Amino acid sequence: MPIETLAHEIGKIAQNDGNYQTSIPQLSLYRRSVKTEPMHCIYGLGLGITAQGAKQVTLGEQVIAYGPGQSLLTTVDLPVVAHVTRANLAEPFLGMMLTLDASVLMQLATEMDLPPLPREQAPRVISLSPLEAPLLDALTRLVQLLNEPRHITTIAPLIQREIMVRLLSGPHGPYLRQLVAAGSPSHQIAQAMAWLKQNFSRDVLMDQLAARVHMSPSTFRQHFRTLTGMSPVQYQRQLRLQEARQLMLNQALDASSTAARVGYESASQFSRDYSRLFGAPPQRDIKRMQHLSDGRGMQSAS
């Protein structure tokens, strides 16, 4: 089944620019008819597909460009910068994001007869791979299922399990298995990142967080930076600032109230960090975001 079939199925549902949360809760579709500005966002455990057009994702110093025929897997919550690099009215960007269930992945990994992980296998939290035909076929069938609402609750979980089986046994498999292998450094760092996501507004000593996941402070910092391209403190700061931006956009909070809400004791420090990450002070950035949203729809797309 060619990638053009998947693009056609996405385009039938996403007929105008925007983000489409579908009746399959884990599946989102995206359409853009123009290239977009780089946008800070969080990618969780999931599979991103560009069916038409092209996109670029930046994690730290790592820049990943991908288009039709490729799949992008992220295994933990990652603050990234993403933007659509090829799109026009005749051939808009068409993409999808499928969120994956870590507990189902873990169960499937124990049931499958998978080869042992190579000792030299380098850990990775984001990976790009060619989109193999069986996986493309399953993804296309999942999108097509949206046209049969009465079958979604029974068939969608089966197709999603098939997709996860194919991911575990395909090129992305080693990175997923590192994530779900209890006791592996990737698994321990993923646990720490999940804790930080739930408690980003709390003041926490990183040595205490290292102890929480049973690692020495130096090993914890080394593995964290290897996996994410940033330190634990930088990761927590990005989580705080991403949440702050959403609060100001969606709840019309002022900068001082928002700073306190996300864990900052100093409003001026919050403003400095915010400007450094987003390129403008809070008030100016929010006005720009509102203008982009009103004028051309939301910018982020997976």
Side-chain angles (χ1 to χ4, degrees):
M1 188 176 291
I3 191 71
E4 289 81 8
T5 302
L6 178 58
H8 177 72
E9 295 297 332
I10 294 173
K12 286 198 302 186
I13 296 165
Q15 297 185 11
N16 299 296
D17 281 11
N19 301 347
Y20 292 77
Q21 183 60 54
T22 72
S23 49
I24 299 173
Q26 300 80 11
L27 178 63
S28 302
L29 307 179
Y30 306 90
R31 181 187 183 111
R32 299 291 185 272
S33 58
V34 295
K35 292 188 285 187
T36 63
E37 296 295 323
M39 180 67 65
H40 290 266
C41 51
I42 302 285
Y43 277 12
L45 172 58
L47 183 70
I49 304 294
T50 293
Q52 185 172 276
K55 190 167 184 189
Q56 181 174 293
V57 175
T58 303
L59 172 65
E61 297 180 354
Q62 186 179 6
V63 179
I64 300 172
Y66 74 110
Q70 296 174 299
S71 58
L72 185 76
L73 178 79
T74 49
T75 59
V76 292
D77 292 313
L78 294 172
V80 301
V81 180
H83 66 115
V84 172
T85 56
R86 189 171 75 242
N88 55 55
L89 287 172
E91 291 190 2
F93 170 89
L94 296 169
M96 62 180 285
M97 172 63 76
L98 181 64
T99 301
L100 304 176
D101 187 319
S103 61
V104 176
L105 281 166
M106 192 175 299
Q107 176 194 353
L108 290 171
T110 60
E111 295 173 355
M112 296 169 65
D113 184 19
L114 296 167
L117 285 170
R119 288 192 175 184
E120 67 276 9
Q121 178 70 49
R124 194 182 296 174
V125 291
I126 187 167
S127 60
L128 185 69
S129 175
L131 188 55
E132 297 179 314
L135 178 57
L136 172 59
D137 176 72
L139 291 165
T140 303
R141 283 187 278 112
L142 187 66
V143 176
Q144 289 171 332
L145 187 62
L146 296 171
N147 299 314
E148 302 180 85
R150 63 194 179 97
H151 293 316
I152 285 176
T153 56
T154 52
I155 297 180
L158 301 177
I159 301 177
Q160 288 171 277
R161 285 177 69 88
E162 177 189 349
I163 289 167
M164 285 186 271
V165 166
R166 296 195 181 282
L167 287 171
L168 283 165
S169 59
H172 290 300
Y175 309 114
L176 279 175
R177 288 158 58 201
Q178 284 176 333
L179 170 72
V180 299
S184 70
S186 295
H187 181 71
Q188 291 168 290
I189 296 300
Q191 288 181 309
M193 295 171 78
W195 190 91
L196 280 172
K197 186 180 179 184
Q198 295 296 321
N199 301 275
F200 62 83
S201 62
R202 291 174 55 178
D203 288 329
V204 57
L205 294 175
M206 290 304 153
D207 289 3
Q208 294 175 342
L209 185 56
R212 176 181 286 272
V213 295
H214 311 293
M215 300 179 84
S216 71
S218 59
T219 300
F220 174 69
R221 287 177 172 81
Q222 177 186 344
H223 281 292
F224 201 104
R225 184 173 289 278
T226 298
L227 281 171
T228 67
M230 64 189 79
S231 71
V233 171
Q234 290 171 323
Y235 181 79
Q236 183 187 42
R237 184 184 303 132
Q238 289 214 25
L239 291 178
R240 286 179 170 181
L241 295 171
Q242 295 274 20
E243 177 66 16
R245 196 185 214 186
Q246 292 304 312
L247 286 172
M248 289 187 286
L249 273 172
N250 299 328
Q251 299 185 24
L253 295 181
D254 60 62
S256 293
S257 301
T258 302
R261 180 85 70 91
V262 300
Y264 275 86
E265 294 182 1
S266 165
S268 59
Q269 183 63 52
F270 167 73
S271 184
R272 286 194 295 271
D273 287 349
Y274 192 102
S275 299
R276 193 175 297 117
L277 182 62
F278 297 123
Q283 187 175 8
R284 191 191 312 164
D285 175 64
I286 295 304
K287 285 183 178 179
R288 180 178 66 89
M289 291 286 292
Q290 289 169 337
H291 173 72
L292 288 172
S293 180
D294 292 342
R296 287 177 288 172
M298 293 184 64
Q299 291 282 307
S300 63
S302 297

